[in-house]
Amino acid sequence: MLKEILLTVVLATLIQGTAQSQNRFYKPTALTLSDLSGFKNPGSNWKIVGSVSGGFDDTTLKTEKGSGVLVDEYDPKKKYTGDVNLSTTFEHGDIFVSLDFMMPKGSNSGIYLQGRYEIQLFDSWNVNPPHSVDCGSIYQRWDDAKPEGKQGYEGHPPRVNASRAPNLWQHLDIEFKAPRFDPSGKKISPAQFVSVSLNGIVIHENVVLTGPTRASAFNDEKATGPLYIQGDHGPVAFRNISYSILDDFHINFTELNYEYFEGNFNDFTKVQQSDFVRKGKADAIDIKLADNPSKLCLIFTGKVNFKETTDYQFIVKKIGKAKLAIDGEEVIRTRELFDDYEVTKKLPAGDHTITFSYLKDFSWAPTGAGLYIGKLNARPQAMHTAASLPPLPPTPLIEVEPGREPERVRSFMEHHGKKKTHIISVGDPSGVHYAYDLDQAGLIQVWKGEFLNATDMWYERGEPQIAKPMGSPLVLSGIAPLALLATSNSTLPDTLDNIKDLVYKGYTLDAKHDPVFEYKYKDISFTDSFKPSADGKGLTRTIVVTGKPTGSSLVLRLGDGSIIKTVSENLYAVDDQRYYISFPVTGKSKPAVVAAGKQQALTWDAGANGSSTLVYTLYW
């Protein structure tokens, strides 16, 4: 079912002031996790270990010796005491933070920017809709003086629930803008979460904070403060913690002049002196200085003073064509009419001459152009007026959603940096969805929540023909599920030995209208099908194989990744705790973890019979 929604904030790459979220120019500093030296007076509950693991029903974390992982060995006797929370030795104002975290079933923690403003960490697996206490939320402020039930206020739930299952690694990115104060200490602008992403999905943008959230380390507001992690609510682990402390970067043009030419210019070589109309001074790049928005060329030349020698970033956004020169050297010349361009250049401190040129010779699209300049570890600054780069009209989000039965959509889809051309996406009314490569018989990604963004398939010309998951996808290898080995001990190949021998025979629909994909591979016939698991938390795959070539051992591949661990008799944690595979407990043979190139694979021997059936479930 197609559903068209007008977005109120879209095309962010063309909207004034949004360059920082699209073109981050940050060099991260890794927080040392070989010891606890990066933290102030850590309590005995905080440990450095080599790895953590567990299953989705486990309420604790299993640890192994080593380094690289920070873990809270939570003591229930210390619940809500506060003295086992953890602060970094460094303090920050504006900052970008990136980290992985893991928490067991039912656990609760949080990370506070400046020790004051909390992003909640919580076991929110399959919660729908999420609330302001769920994972990724900006936690409530609190006032005990308010009436019962109304003490909590200004909490912000995530836009969608992008949480993973307990004891899986999850990824969090936070961009934070600190409050500003005048020389007397009076707050003149509030703290702000510029962007928060959970497992690759933006869940907050530009959320203003009027004050510290509940259970913060400090009740006041300051220009700086530490990162602060809750350790008194439940067990939690962290790894790959990095941060970029951001400079408060401001620059302006000096001696900015412009020249205006009018005519039908489709290239800068077409602009002649005879087309000259006027020249003058400007405070910033402003396309509105042109009289004719469809037949113009504007050339701006001015000086910018850079305070330090470092790398600088230049971002050109426009509808039309543009070029940029720095000290007489052309560094950007655009060819496409809509694409953004950026370049990084190391410049010495001092004055530099910037020349920005723009032309447009058509009336069928809005006129707009702008230039952003950024410094390493600073947000890019607009060198143009707001009117020079106006927002485009809203683009419709064309969403496909299942009705009373599964919805099927054929499309292209990006997978590991490549455009796959034979993809079918299947959306289930339960909210468990998947995308399948018909050319490879490979599962490429699974997700939950809303189904499919088909805007690039249907809006205007729909040239990209790319569909995108609406939820946070778990991206899988997409490798065909079967392999023929000379012996059961032979090395597992990365893919089928000859993909040309794999013949797709189409699909049929079962009684519930789920597709059953049919294939033939050499002397083998097999079907492949998927359904939401009985508990509604995962996706169950069924592969039925008929026939077995003489002289070969048939092995079915369930999953692959860097590390595969056995969690329990029927549960495996795949790709270093990125997702789970549950294999039914039966009297038949169990899966085996084998080497597959530089990785590991979970495989099942199909046996010597002419027919075999494999059923397993993915949880994430």
Side-chain angles (χ1 to χ4, degrees), residues 170-352:
Q170 308 193 57
H171 186 75
L172 185 67
D173 286 332
I174 305 169
E175 184 163 345
F176 172 80
K177 186 176 182 181
R180 300 298 198 262
F181 302 86
D182 67 14
S184 70
K186 179 183 177 181
K187 187 171 73 172
I188 55 177
S189 65
Q192 183 179 4
F193 282 109
V194 177
S195 176
V196 180
S197 297
L198 177 61
N199 296 320
I201 296 292
V202 176
I203 56 175
H204 300 290
E205 281 186 296
N206 301 318
V207 178
V208 172
L209 304 158
T210 62
T213 57
R214 190 181 188 189
S216 58
F218 315 102
N219 291 323
D220 60 353
E221 292 188 283
K222 298 288 186 182
T224 63
L227 286 180
Y228 180 72
I229 303 173
Q230 270 183 353
D232 64 349
H233 281 48
V236 64
F238 298 91
R239 70 178 184 184
N240 299 330
I241 303 174
S242 66
Y243 62 93
S244 302
I245 295 178
L246 307 181
D247 295 339
D248 199 4
F249 176 60
H250 295 285
I251 54 171
N252 294 292
F253 278 119
T254 59
E255 305 174 22
L256 182 64
N257 298 291
Y258 75 92
E259 294 179 285
Y260 171 50
F261 301 81
E262 191 172 301
N264 292 310
F265 314 123
N266 59 10
D267 189 80
F268 288 103
T269 60
K270 306 294 185 182
V271 181
Q272 305 295 322
Q273 191 59 37
S274 59
D275 302 310
F276 176 77
V277 176
R278 66 174 177 273
K279 61 182 179 180
K281 295 185 179 297
D283 295 323
I285 293 169
D286 188 357
I287 304 308
K288 297 297 183 180
L289 291 169
D291 300 326
N292 190 329
S294 303
K295 296 181 179 182
L296 77 143
C297 175
L298 277 165
I299 301 174
F300 295 86
T301 303
K303 291 188 180 297
V304 173
N305 182 265
F306 293 124
K307 303 299 183 184
E308 59 183 293
T309 299
T310 188
D311 289 327
Y312 291 89
Q313 181 188 46
F314 299 84
I315 305 166
V316 170
K317 296 175 178 285
K318 80 289 175 289
I319 304 172
K321 293 184 178 181
K323 61 179 182 176
L324 178 71
I326 303 171
D327 297 327
E329 177 191 359
E330 186 175 293
V331 295
I332 291 178
R333 181 187 288 258
T334 70
R335 292 172 296 279
E336 302 297 329
L337 298 180
F338 295 96
D339 288 356
D340 301 336
Y341 289 76
E342 67 177 84
V343 66
T344 299
K345 190 173 179 64
K346 187 170 186 177
L347 296 173
D351 288 338
H352 294 272

Side-chain angles (χ1 to χ4, degrees), residues 140-159:
Q140 302 175 98
R141 301 194 66 202
W142 196 264
D143 185 351
D144 284 322
K146 290 190 173 186
E148 184 70 26
K150 296 184 178 180
Q151 294 100 328
Y153 63 102
E154 293 185 8
H156 299 271
R159 292 175 177 173

Side-chain angles (χ1 to χ4, degrees), residues 569-570 583-590 604:
E569 185 181 9
N570 69 320
F583 190 85
V585 179
T586 65
K588 298 181 180 179
S589 61
K590 295 293 183 183
W604 183 69

Side-chain angles (χ1 to χ4, degrees), residues 5-277:
I5 306 171
L6 283 178
L7 297 180
T8 57
V9 182
V10 290
L11 293 177
T13 56
L14 289 172
I15 296 178
Q16 163 76 17
T18 61
Q20 65 269 22
S21 63
Q22 302 294 325
N23 305 80
R24 289 190 179 113
F25 190 40
Y26 305 157
K27 182 180 179 180
T29 297
L31 185 62
T32 299
L33 294 180
S34 57
D35 54 39
L36 293 169
S37 60
F39 303 96
K40 300 177 185 176
N41 304 316
S44 60
N45 56 309
W46 292 101
K47 302 288 174 59
I48 297 294
V49 299
S51 67
V52 290
S53 61
F56 56 74
D57 281 329
D58 293 336
T59 57
T60 59
L61 296 167
K62 299 175 184 177
T63 64
E64 296 180 14
K65 292 182 179 180
S67 63
V69 178
L70 172 70
V71 64
D72 173 22
E73 294 184 345
Y74 168 70
D75 182 355
K77 296 178 182 178
K78 295 284 189 176
K79 191 171 185 178
Y80 305 147
T81 60
D83 60 346
V84 294
N85 296 335
L86 191 65
S87 292
T88 58
T89 55
F90 74 85
E91 295 199 353
H92 68 88
D94 293 0
I95 193 172
F96 177 75
V97 181
S98 180
L99 57 85
D100 297 332
F101 69 94
M102 180 193 292
M103 48 203 331
K105 183 178 181 179
S107 193
N108 182 351
S109 183
I111 182 166
Y112 291 76
L113 282 298
Q114 293 192 321
R116 295 172 171 89
Y117 316 99
E118 183 186 8
I119 296 296
Q120 169 82 325
L121 304 181
F122 196 72
D123 170 22
S124 299
W125 192 33
N126 289 321
V127 172
N128 190 31
H131 301 88
S132 60
V133 297
D134 283 305
C135 193
S137 66
I138 299 171
Y139 207 74
Q140 302 175 98
R141 301 194 66 202
W142 196 264
D143 185 351
D144 284 322
K146 290 190 173 186
E148 184 70 26
K150 296 184 178 180
Q151 294 100 328
Y153 63 102
E154 293 185 8
H156 299 271
R159 292 175 177 173
V160 296
N161 185 4
S163 299
R164 298 286 194 243
N167 283 333
L168 293 181
W169 282 114
Q170 308 193 57
H171 186 75
L172 185 67
D173 286 332
I174 305 169
E175 184 163 345
F176 172 80
K177 186 176 182 181
R180 300 298 198 262
F181 302 86
D182 67 14
S184 70
K186 179 183 177 181
K187 187 171 73 172
I188 55 177
S189 65
Q192 183 179 4
F193 282 109
V194 177
S195 176
V196 180
S197 297
L198 177 61
N199 296 320
I201 296 292
V202 176
I203 56 175
H204 300 290
E205 281 186 296
N206 301 318
V207 178
V208 172
L209 304 158
T210 62
T213 57
R214 190 181 188 189
S216 58
F218 315 102
N219 291 323
D220 60 353
E221 292 188 283
K222 298 288 186 182
T224 63
L227 286 180
Y228 180 72
I229 303 173
Q230 270 183 353
D232 64 349
H233 281 48
V236 64
F238 298 91
R239 70 178 184 184
N240 299 330
I241 303 174
S242 66
Y243 62 93
S244 302
I245 295 178
L246 307 181
D247 295 339
D248 199 4
F249 176 60
H250 295 285
I251 54 171
N252 294 292
F253 278 119
T254 59
E255 305 174 22
L256 182 64
N257 298 291
Y258 75 92
E259 294 179 285
Y260 171 50
F261 301 81
E262 191 172 301
N264 292 310
F265 314 123
N266 59 10
D267 189 80
F268 288 103
T269 60
K270 306 294 185 182
V271 181
Q272 305 295 322
Q273 191 59 37
S274 59
D275 302 310
F276 176 77
V277 176

Side-chain angles (χ1 to χ4, degrees), residues 15 46 53 55 68 76 110 191 198 239 271 283 291 325 353 362 406 424 432 443 466 470 483 543 564 572 575 617:
I15 296 178
W46 292 101
S53 61
L198 177 61
R239 70 178 184 184
V271 181
D283 295 323
D291 300 326
T353 300
F362 52 91
I424 185 168
V432 178
L443 187 63
I466 291 175
M470 291 285 288
I543 301 172
I564 300 176
Y572 302 83
D575 203 16
T617 300

